[in-house]
Amino acid sequence: MNVRTQRRIFKPLVFLISLSPFFWLAYAIFSDTTMGTQYLTTDPVQKLDRELGDWTLIFIILSLAVRPAADLLKRNEFINYRRMIGLFALFYAVLHVTSYQVFHLKLDVVAFFKDIAERPFITVGMIAFIALIPLGITSTKGMIRRLGKKWRKLHMLVYPIAILGVVHFYMMIRADFSRPYIYGAIILLLLGYRVWKNRQRNRPRPAAAAAA
Ligand code: HEM
């Protein structure tokens, strides 16, 4: 299968798979409100916000995992899907913040800013969210071309954003810290890989070293 056909098949597939948590949550809201099911438990507002927070972090981690997966499996074409996965992280982050603002705070803007100022886990989440926005905006092909090397540097921000996401999660819970620990360990592993890869890339090649 050539690269074009592969892209034509896999791009919509990755798109649909990435949207499946959204479809599931939309269905759960619909079913719980019209048919009396309890997919979103007895506290649907909290459950919805937590699910969306989880998916935000999962997509951030997935976007970080694309390069190592492409290298390890020698499938460079995986990189074609990284931008879409990164944009889905922003999509779920926007829904996470919106659901918090709409369902939890009932669109009370004053309460929103008060929360940002007074609840440290919200402050940390907000910093991560704001930092994610320029990454989304600069994800177009035109921006990638225009920013050149600066684009790579800017998009390295995704590592601190991922760490802030985990800190936000860790600060929010009172018991059972296993999930933030697992997310944190995965992010550190991916960061370690990135550092190692950059060192490899910047190491002088034997021929160049001999010529120097
Ligand atoms: C990139 C940014 C963010 C990431 C990665 C993120 C991720 C998460 C995660 C993983 C959780 C816990 C989910 C679980 O318990 O399974 C969570 C919960 C939560 N997040 Fe975020 N979050 C982000 C930004 C924000 C922002 C900006 C706000 C508010 C303005 C926010 C508000 C909340 C709230 C209120 C909860 C707890 C829900 C509850 O227990 O009622 N988050 N978030």
Side-chain angles (χ1 to χ4, degrees):
M1 205 192 300
N2 66 34
V3 178
R4 245 195 194 173
T5 321
Q6 250 181 30
R7 265 202 221 179
R8 212 171 293 152
I9 296 172
F10 287 112
K11 272 217 165 157
L13 199 65
V14 174
F15 185 82
L16 281 179
I17 292 171
S18 305
L19 263 185
S20 58
F22 171 77
F23 284 141
W24 160 245
L25 289 171
Y27 172 73
I29 294 172
F30 172 76
S31 173
D32 286 6
T33 46
T34 60
M35 291 182 266
T37 50
Q38 282 194 346
Y39 290 125
L40 294 176
T41 74
T42 47
D43 190 348
V45 170
Q46 188 189 64
K47 176 72 177 162
L48 180 69
D49 220 11
R50 290 191 168 193
E51 285 285 325
L52 290 168
D54 254 339
W55 286 110
T56 306
L57 200 49
I58 289 168
F59 275 92
I60 291 175
I61 292 173
L62 284 177
S63 72
L64 291 176
V66 173
R67 167 54 73 194
D71 289 350
L72 289 175
L73 301 171
K74 301 201 188 323
R75 305 296 295 252
N76 212 37
E77 64 269 25
F78 283 4
I79 303 301
N80 294 330
Y81 310 106
R82 188 170 53 183
R83 186 161 58 123
M84 192 196 291
I85 293 171
L87 285 171
F88 267 106
L90 182 60
F91 172 70
Y92 284 106
V94 169
L95 289 182
H96 180 47
V97 178
T98 308
S99 104
Y100 175 66
Q101 170 66 323
V102 174
F103 300 120
H104 197 99
L105 298 180
K106 312 253 177 326
L107 289 171
D108 184 340
V109 181
V110 177
F112 183 60
F113 284 105
K114 211 164 167 250
D115 260 4
I116 295 171
E118 290 175 4
R119 298 174 76 189
F121 93 94
I122 299 277
T123 317
V124 172
M126 207 57 205
I127 294 169
F129 178 63
I130 289 169
L132 206 53
I133 295 169
L135 304 196
I137 294 171
T138 55
S139 281
T140 59
K141 278 185 187 150
M143 276 302 222
I144 296 171
R145 215 176 311 116
R146 218 170 303 153
L147 289 173
K149 274 190 179 171
K150 281 190 203 138
W151 186 90
R152 273 177 70 100
K153 277 194 185 151
L154 178 69
H155 280 250
M156 288 298 275
L157 260 184
V158 70
Y159 288 95
I161 291 171
I163 292 166
L164 285 174
V166 172
V167 173
H168 163 75
F169 189 4
Y170 181 88
M171 288 168 86
M172 183 210 102
I173 46 182
R174 283 173 196 88
D176 189 8
F177 293 87
S178 55
R179 280 172 52 238
Y181 281 143
I182 292 170
Y183 284 137
I186 296 172
I187 292 164
L188 288 182
L189 205 70
L190 294 169
L191 181 61
Y193 179 81
R194 165 61 73 173
V195 171
W196 174 79
K197 178 106 189 162
N198 281 355
R199 285 220 180 124
Q200 294 280 101
R201 193 185 295 137
N202 296 333
R203 242 190 9 209
R205 292 173 195 281

